[in-house]
Amino acid sequence: MDSQGDNGWVAHLLRTEVRDTVRLYLDGVIDQWFIQQDNSGVVFLLNVTDADKAHGLLEKLPLGQAGLMNFQLLPLGPISALGSLIRPSTN
């Protein structure tokens, strides 16, 4: 494929990636998204309880289907130790 064709393919891929990502945001799956300060990628905070589900959702995006996305999944949760700060004292 020539560079003109490559550019057209990339432009189409990015348009569909943005459309599908916005759809996940509007559906409440993506809670927040950020760009890394060095512009090397994005960070999504997802509303899912299972890392396998998150992996599957990301792999279904156009960049994932094209094999052009690398990602790392980090399970997050509340800071449970904060509960000790609001319990009534036993004095």
Side-chain angles (χ1 to χ4, degrees):
M1 188 181 293
D2 61 23
S3 63
Q4 191 92 11
D6 288 343
N7 289 339
W9 178 76
V10 169
H12 172 74
L13 187 65
L14 292 176
R15 278 193 304 274
T16 57
E17 178 76 15
V18 169
R19 181 197 65 214
D20 292 356
T21 301
V22 169
R23 200 171 278 142
L24 287 176
Y25 173 76
L26 293 174
D27 289 344
V29 175
I30 295 175
D31 184 58
Q32 297 178 50
W33 51 358
F34 303 91
I35 185 79
Q36 293 183 21
Q37 290 293 307
D38 63 1
N39 291 320
S40 64
V42 297
V43 175
F44 295 139
L45 297 182
L46 303 174
N47 286 319
V48 296
T49 57
D50 182 274
D52 288 336
K53 181 173 181 171
H55 187 273
L57 288 167
L58 295 172
E59 284 291 335
K60 287 180 185 175
L61 290 170
L63 289 174
Q65 290 178 2
L68 298 174
M69 181 181 357
N70 294 314
F71 52 87
Q72 179 181 10
L73 300 173
L74 303 169
L76 302 174
I79 304 171
S80 58
L82 291 175
S84 66
L85 299 174
I86 59 172
R87 287 191 192 111
S89 63
T90 57
N91 293 355

